[in-house]
Amino acid sequence: MEFVTTENQTMIAQAVRDLCERELRPHVMEWDEVQHMPLDLFKNHFGPAGMLGVLVPEEYGGAGLGYFEYVSTIVEVAKICGSIGLSVAAHNSLCTGHILQFGNEEQKRRWLPKLATGEWLGAWALTEPNTGSDAMRMKCTARKEGKEWVLNGTKCWITHGKSGDAVVAIVRTGELLDSKGMTAFVIERGTPGLKAGKKENKLGMRASETAEVIFEDCRVPEENILGQVGEGFQQAMKVLDGGRISIAALSLGIARGAFEASVKYAKEREQFGQPIANFQAISFKIADMATRIEASELLILQAADLKNRHKKMTKESAMAKYYASEVCVWASNEAVQIFGGYGYTKDFPVEKFYRDSKLCTIGEGTSEIQKVVIGREILR
């Protein structure tokens, strides 16, 4: 495997970096404080720049790029703001990615151009109040009536649960605990019976909207089913394989942002007549951060390479997500320590990296679940 950065990848990363410096960085703390979801940023800037359809073929309005470019896009956004990086990741890999992977030609032409260009923002709904990792016990159901399906139940922790224009929801259409008893539906915003519930007040990722999605006798036509009835759980597991690369990339971006801020601060901050970077305690922290961040990146690139080549990568994506997310939390903590008291204030960026980082060890499968997946793949 060769992970040589191409000229095209470098240009794409620079373009994303420039756009984020101009349109995102000036507003990061403002949006975080008031929990503002900047729809204008997505629809008028990220969409036209191709950042919301990175993996979508050009024929459907996307950028037609691969997973290396996708990873670098998420990293560049997350280096500035983890919240916005999370939203870009969820839109691309979950909602849009599910339709791209399992939609038929008519469905792809119906929904992907709107999602890939930023006209629509996507949401993906699997988790419920009492079923997180235990998805086969979901209580949200759909029953068939003629050529329609009637959905009832509540999904929670849904990124873009209020603002999403299209929701891909996995609901139960068969028996409880039956892995072939769930089905994936696409529900468009404005469909009667589709409602937004409570918006979560979160520790971090505050500019990325997280809310309940409620179905109350929500009627969905059968042509909105992705794949076949009963395939929803298997589809979701495959979507999450790619989603783990997204969260790993998000983790890498946050860790890099915290690391770069720490290096800059250590060179500028003076104590005892010299920059604190000269002290071994600080230089060792920076050395450890750099090493673990590099290791995270290699795991991510390995999984991305397998995904690009359409190879099985369940173990590799879980390893990347597990390790990168844990490094993200650890590196953000080290950054706060390097900044000292200033790191505990909102005047410096590492306080936000620290708060945002924790989601990475929880979202799209906790660290513990990743270890279950890794162990199962090794021992099967």
Side-chain angles (χ1 to χ4, degrees), residues 1 4 26 31 38 62 89 92 94 117 128 131 155 193 206 226 233 236 273 300 317 346 352 354 357 365 367 370 380:
M1 292 179 290
V4 178
W31 291 342
N92 273 283
L94 297 181
T117 58
E128 297 181 7
T131 58
K155 298 290 184 178
R206 291 167 61 82
L226 293 173
F233 183 76
I300 294 166
S317 66
K346 293 181 182 293
K352 184 175 183 297
Y354 183 62
S357 68
S367 293
Q370 304 313 313
R380 73 165 64 249

Side-chain angles (χ1 to χ4, degrees), residues 145-321:
E145 290 189 3
K147 292 187 176 182
E148 292 182 322
W149 289 77
V150 183
L151 277 62
N152 279 286
T154 299
K155 298 290 184 178
C156 66
W157 307 113
I158 309 306
T159 303
H160 311 148
K162 281 181 176 286
S163 299
D165 299 287
V167 181
V168 175
I170 296 88
V171 303
R172 187 158 58 82
T173 51
E175 296 300 317
L176 201 67
L177 299 179
D178 181 2
S179 64
K180 296 183 180 179
M182 286 160 275
T183 303
F185 294 84
V186 180
I187 307 97
E188 298 181 10
R189 183 66 59 189
T191 301
L194 171 63
K195 301 178 181 180
K198 174 190 175 186
K199 178 181 175 182
E200 302 297 340
N201 184 7
K202 308 190 299 288
L203 168 72
M205 302 293 192
R206 291 167 61 82
S208 178
E209 173 191 283
T210 306
E212 291 179 327
V213 172
I214 300 169
F215 301 107
E216 292 182 353
D217 290 329
C218 181
R219 292 183 173 272
V220 181
E222 61 182 13
E223 58 263 30
N224 284 30
I225 292 174
L226 293 173
Q228 301 299 316
V229 173
E231 292 181 348
F233 183 76
Q234 288 85 355
Q235 290 178 11
M237 295 305 102
K238 291 176 182 177
V239 169
L240 286 172
D241 275 352
R244 289 176 184 131
I245 296 177
S246 299
I247 300 301
L250 176 66
S251 303
L252 178 60
I254 293 171
R256 277 224 187 121
F259 169 74
E260 291 176 5
S262 297
V263 170
K264 182 176 183 292
Y265 183 80
K267 289 179 177 179
E268 295 173 350
R269 171 69 167 168
E270 290 192 359
Q271 288 288 277
F272 305 101
Q274 58 184 311
I276 63 172
N278 292 349
F279 300 130
Q280 190 179 73
I282 301 300
S283 67
F284 276 16
K285 285 184 183 294
I286 288 172
D288 282 339
M289 290 168 76
T291 302
R292 297 189 197 184
I293 288 170
E294 289 278 337
S296 298
E297 183 176 23
L298 289 171
L299 282 170
I300 294 166
L301 292 177
Q302 174 182 243
D305 175 62
L306 290 170
K307 184 69 174 174
N308 276 341
R309 294 189 286 121
H310 307 290
K311 301 288 187 180
K312 180 176 171 62
M313 32 66 81
T314 300
K315 180 188 71 174
E316 290 78 7
S317 66
M319 284 180 167
K321 196 273 186 186

